[in-house]
Amino acid sequence: MFVPVERSADKEKNYRLLLENLPHYIDRNVPWYATLANAASVIDYFLPDVNWVGFYIMEDDVLYLGPFQGLAGCMKILPGQGVCGTAAERKETVVVDDVHAFEGHITCDTQTESEIVVPLVKEERIVAVLDIDSPKKARFDETDRKWLRKVSALVVDNLR
Ligand code: SME
């Protein structure tokens, strides 16, 4: 179903390609889990050097494992727990250059060295977080932070 398109070695250009392509695979007329499942797959396709891409869904103030690409993950994360719970509690993107140096980091894949978690905000409420792991240390920088915020906004706009 997915029509593979060329990826670019240029980080900004690659993110532009991701943002151009993602709308073809998400839809606000289907249930939210279908959109998040495709979003995880398309983000994973475009991002080099990542080993886990997925969503945790906020329900009754708890983050539950949602659609993802990668190894089986931790299913329940409380506010303030791990990188995901920290991002949800602070309502801001958290970039971790070295997960071993982050107190309380929750390990799902032992290959993971760095991580970024971006909150998905709808009407000022956190509805989910986007979590991306990399086997490379310090894989995520300001460029990733900027573009993944746009990617998350597009996804949240398409959630039903
Ligand atoms: N590392 C995350 C948990 C989720 S797994 O990486 C998929 C955390 O510390 O919140």
Side-chain angles (χ1 to χ4, degrees):
M1 173 66 183
F2 182 68
V3 183
V5 296
E6 215 176 306
R7 286 164 287 207
S8 171
D10 177 283
K11 201 164 178 169
E12 297 264 354
K13 190 170 174 210
N14 204 40
Y15 270 117
R16 267 195 288 278
L17 288 171
L18 165 57
L19 272 184
E20 276 167 32
N21 281 276
L22 188 53
H24 300 298
Y25 301 96
I26 58 180
D27 186 347
R28 60 173 65 83
N29 298 309
V30 301
W32 60 268
Y33 46 83
T35 279
L36 291 188
N38 259 357
S41 172
V42 175
I43 295 166
D44 183 59
Y45 174 83
F46 276 98
L47 266 55
D49 303 318
V50 301
N51 56 319
W52 205 92
V53 175
F55 297 91
Y56 278 87
I57 318 302
M58 186 68 88
E59 203 177 294
D60 300 331
D61 287 329
V62 177
L63 289 167
Y64 291 102
L65 182 63
F68 68 95
Q69 298 275 312
L71 293 183
C74 157
M75 289 191 286
K76 180 180 173 183
I77 301 176
L78 299 175
Q81 264 188 353
V83 188
C84 292
T86 302
E89 195 173 63
R90 292 188 194 156
K91 293 188 168 62
E92 63 184 32
T93 298
V94 176
V95 174
V96 178
D97 287 345
D98 176 1
V99 295
H100 307 291
F102 187 95
E103 211 187 307
H105 171 259
I106 302 161
T107 305
C108 293
D109 182 341
T110 53
Q111 296 260 306
T112 298
E113 293 289 342
S114 62
E115 180 164 356
I116 185 168
V117 178
V118 187
L120 269 64
V121 184
K122 196 172 192 171
E123 289 152 12
E124 288 169 37
R125 268 188 333 112
I126 306 266
V127 293
V129 298
L130 167 62
D131 180 16
I132 307 179
D133 292 2
S134 169
K136 269 189 163 177
K137 276 208 168 50
R139 155 70 179 79
F140 305 101
D141 58 15
E142 284 309 307
T143 304
D144 297 289
R145 192 191 279 268
K146 176 182 85 179
W147 284 93
L148 288 171
R149 217 180 295 138
K150 294 180 203 275
V151 169
S152 296
L154 175 64
V155 171
V156 92
D157 244 23
N158 281 276
L159 292 183
R160 184 182 91 189

